[in-house]
Amino acid sequence: MEEKRRTIGYICPSCRQSVAADRSLFSLSVGHMKLPCPCGKSAFRVDYEERAYRITVPCAACGGEHQVTLTGDQLMGHKILGFSCPNTGIDCCYIGEEGQVFAALPRLEQTLDKQAARKEDDEGVFLDETIMSEILGELKDIAGRGDISCTCGSKRFSVDIHYSSVELHCPDCGGVLRLPAATMDDLGDLCAKQKLVIHGHK
């Protein structure tokens, strides 16, 4: 049988270079796994205990670290998982299929560059006000066509708007679809989609 594998990608908060590597499910489940940046100043870490993956993620958006706990089904059940900084709403790590992770990292670099270029006195509600406005307009059009649904079968959803992303929530099963909303690539990706499907929990 082909061994199950996941690609991990993050941006080092110290040197700002992208760090990515492929790991087997076995290597993630042996107890402790570390993916350090070559600069030696940050590392993605996994501790496997009681059938749960306790992940520590370096965050280039705020300079700190964040923790998340996943089940095996959550870890392996998605093409890509993105974890966001609770302080800024900007992504800090991706786990998933190789192509998906390597496609997401350059867009994260663009978002972080945009964050770094903002003036300290810029009091905008969003990282990019124009992009967010266009994203919300596109979402309104998709919703108006009735083309937002959940894999659980529900057509109901709620919207949470964050600093650099938008989340669609299914009230019936708790599923979430997170859409980045910071760059022209984010807008282009959304405009190319005819339908949006929330990945539900049923």
Side-chain angles (χ1 to χ4, degrees), residues 77-96:
H78 300 273
K79 290 185 177 181
I80 187 169
L81 288 171
F83 307 118
S84 61
C85 169
N87 302 315
T88 66
I90 296 174
D91 287 347
C92 54
C93 175
Y94 301 106
I95 302 176

Side-chain angles (χ1 to χ4, degrees), residues 136-149 155 157 159 168 194-196:
L136 294 176
E138 189 65 23
L139 280 174
K140 183 178 180 181
D141 290 344
I142 297 173
R145 299 194 304 265
D147 286 333
I148 298 178
S149 62
K155 297 281 284 187
F157 66 92
V159 180
L168 305 182
Q194 296 298 313
K195 298 181 179 181
L196 293 175

Side-chain angles (χ1 to χ4, degrees), residues 12-110:
C12 174
S14 181
C15 70
R16 310 288 281 194
Q17 70 174 306
S18 295
V19 182
D22 181 68
R23 293 288 185 268
S24 68
L25 183 60
F26 174 78
S27 70
L28 295 171
S29 306
V30 294
H32 305 284
M33 192 283 294
K34 181 182 290 188
L35 175 59
C37 176
C39 78
K41 295 182 179 179
S42 71
F44 173 99
R45 302 188 300 276
V46 178
D47 294 302
Y48 183 69
E49 300 173 353
E50 301 177 356
R51 298 186 178 182
Y53 298 86
R54 307 184 195 285
I55 299 171
T56 302
V57 181
C59 180
C62 73
E65 290 185 333
H66 306 302
Q67 294 185 331
V68 63
T69 300
L70 299 176
T71 65
D73 288 342
Q74 289 173 325
L75 184 67
M76 301 303 300
H78 300 273
K79 290 185 177 181
I80 187 169
L81 288 171
F83 307 118
S84 61
C85 169
N87 302 315
T88 66
I90 296 174
D91 287 347
C92 54
C93 175
Y94 301 106
I95 302 176
E97 297 177 357
E98 181 181 50
Q100 297 280 336
V101 172
F102 277 90
L105 281 173
R107 291 168 54 180
L108 178 54
E109 291 175 357
Q110 292 179 38

Side-chain angles (χ1 to χ4, degrees), residues 112-144:
L112 291 169
D113 288 344
K114 185 171 289 189
Q115 180 200 31
R118 282 174 62 101
K119 297 179 181 178
E120 292 186 3
D121 61 351
D122 189 340
E123 298 181 354
V125 177
F126 307 115
L127 181 58
D128 190 308
E129 305 278 341
T130 302
I131 294 294
M132 181 62 78
S133 177
E134 293 290 339
I135 290 279
L136 294 176
E138 189 65 23
L139 280 174
K140 183 178 180 181
D141 290 344
I142 297 173

